[in-house]
Amino acid sequence: MPSAGPAAAGQADGTGGSTALPAPGPVPPADHGSTAVVPVLVDVSSGGADRTVRLWDTVRDRPSGVLRGHNDEVYGVAFAPDGRSLASGGADRTVRLWDLARHRTTSVLTGHSDDVNAVAYTPDGATVVSAGGDGTTRSWDVYRGMQTLTLTGHTDYTMGVAVSADGTRLATAEFDQSVVLWDLRGPVLTARPYTEVWQSAYSPDGRLLASAGTDHTVRLWDVVRHRPVATLRGHRSAVFSVAFAPDGRKLASAGSDGTVRLWDVLTHRPLATLAGHHGDVFSVAFAPDGALLASAGADRTVRLWDVATRRPLDTLTGHTDFVNDVTFSPDGRTPASAGDDLTVRLWDVASRRPLATLTGHRGAVRAVAFGPDGRALVSSGNDGTVRLWDVRRRRPSAVLRGHTGSVRGIAFSPDGRLLASSGSDRTVRLWDVAERRPWATLTGHTNAVWGTVFAPDGRTVASSSNDGTVRLWNLDVSARFAAICRLHLSSAGPSACPPG
């Protein structure tokens, strides 16, 4: 990062001299005895080469304090909206939050792997956004002192950052002379229904969300109003998986009591209990036509059930260890299963025979999902990878790395352009399928994230976690949490964002 000059309420501007803060109106009194907040100027002259942030009283035209704590040059500073706090970032790869009355650090935020070049507050003062030489933009919860979001769609390292007046959009300036716009709106629902939430599923119309938890229940949520609708009781122990029938009228659940249960979504009453597995049932899935149900469990089998008669049809054997997940291809002809035996297996519904065994994972395979066209398959596992497979050729097409622990949940967006994955590193990660690269990292869960699923319209991702929460993350059809548009700056002038 090149040396920078003094800065006021933003990053260093490199012009030298002093720049006073604008005076938007009366300054409110601070909550520190009789001390008042006075207009101040921050000086990071010579790029903050002395590792300090210097404060100046612009009324008395004299220095008012020195903030010490950074271990290298300071590149960017920003005042909180109330003028009582300051954020700074620098070459030591940290963002520091300061109490201006006491002239001391209140939080040191770490996560960037290179220089922090710029910082900015959201209008409510609750979030600080930082831009770094590692090509990421990160948001931080001021009060909890923790990271809440990582944006990774940059093509170069970021030099500047600014937040819109309503706090919903962010602009970042990149070294390649482009400006990228982002949408900052994050989780809109946090529910804390029980100790651990294993999985969630959207109804076909996207208005309901079902969640499975360790309190032996299935819970239904109104996604529009963000409130619980019903609690379905019947399982005798933890519930691991839930799935809506294609018509939205029935719900299936599976749990550690060894049963699969069917429920009436409208009346919230049980319809049937399907017994046959010997041990935990980890996953359940409806075929696209709703006629078949598949379940997978600790007895190393995948079982097929006739939904109308509630009777077993067949048992698919071949896995040599627990079967953790099962799903159907979009045409319903090919179930896929994932197991602790390090394999993904494809099956033929008509013949009830195995079609292929896909190997490559170096640990238990936890989840599997088909792309919307049925030509791509994705799996994730304990080896920390997300793997894409060419279904027709029965071979891998890409390995996506980024998670720092087991990857427990995986899902394609309805249009097939994005993948969502979640894992023991407490993150939900979005991936650009075509580019085979990370798109965004969603943070906020405080424990492992077991499951992730897209809403039917593709605008929301739901994540379920061991921290007892279900979180909804807004994405938007134009790829929220990634660039809304990119303004390339050139001698001919900036390009324009598409309308809307």
Side-chain angles (χ1 to χ4, degrees), residues 290-382:
L292 292 180
L293 186 72
S295 57
D299 59 2
R300 308 178 183 183
T301 69
V302 174
R303 295 177 184 256
L304 299 179
W305 308 84
D306 185 306
V307 174
T309 65
R310 281 52 158 166
R311 294 184 177 181
L313 290 176
D314 213 334
T315 302
L316 309 181
T317 60
H319 280 285
T320 58
D321 209 331
F322 290 1
V323 188
N324 298 312
D325 197 17
V326 65
T327 188
F328 280 92
S329 60
D331 62 8
R333 298 176 182 176
T334 309
S337 56
D340 273 7
D341 59 4
L342 282 61
T343 70
V344 174
R345 296 177 186 252
L346 302 180
W347 310 85
D348 179 72
V349 164
S351 67
R352 313 286 203 261
R353 295 182 180 273
L355 292 175
T357 301
L358 310 180
T359 60
H361 280 284
R362 297 180 180 179
V365 189
R366 292 292 184 176
V368 64
F370 278 96
D373 61 5
R375 295 183 294 180
L377 184 77
V378 65
S379 59
S380 62
N382 283 359

Side-chain angles (χ1 to χ4, degrees), residues 193-236:
Y194 24 56
T195 304
E196 300 178 20
V197 190
W198 279 88
Q199 193 184 68
S200 53
Y202 278 97
S203 61
D205 63 6
R207 299 182 64 85
L208 290 178
L209 186 80
S211 59
T214 56
D215 68 345
H216 311 178
T217 71
V218 174
R219 295 180 185 245
L220 297 179
W221 305 88
D222 183 322
V223 175
V224 177
R225 295 181 176 86
H226 303 164
R227 66 185 186 188
V229 173
T231 300
L232 310 182
R233 305 181 188 277
H235 283 282
R236 295 189 301 275

Side-chain angles (χ1 to χ4, degrees), residues 43 52 56 104 109 204 219 236 261 293 335 341 401 431 496:
D43 186 6
T52 68
W56 298 84
R104 69 183 185 187
L109 311 177
R219 295 180 185 245
R236 295 189 301 275
R261 295 176 186 253
L293 186 72
D341 59 4
R401 292 182 170 88
W431 308 84

Side-chain angles (χ1 to χ4, degrees), residues 2 76 94 157 188 223 235 273 314 358 409 457 473 488-489:
T94 69
Y157 62 85
V188 297
V223 175
H235 283 282
T273 299
D314 213 334
L358 310 180
D457 63 6
W473 309 83
H488 290 282
L489 306 180

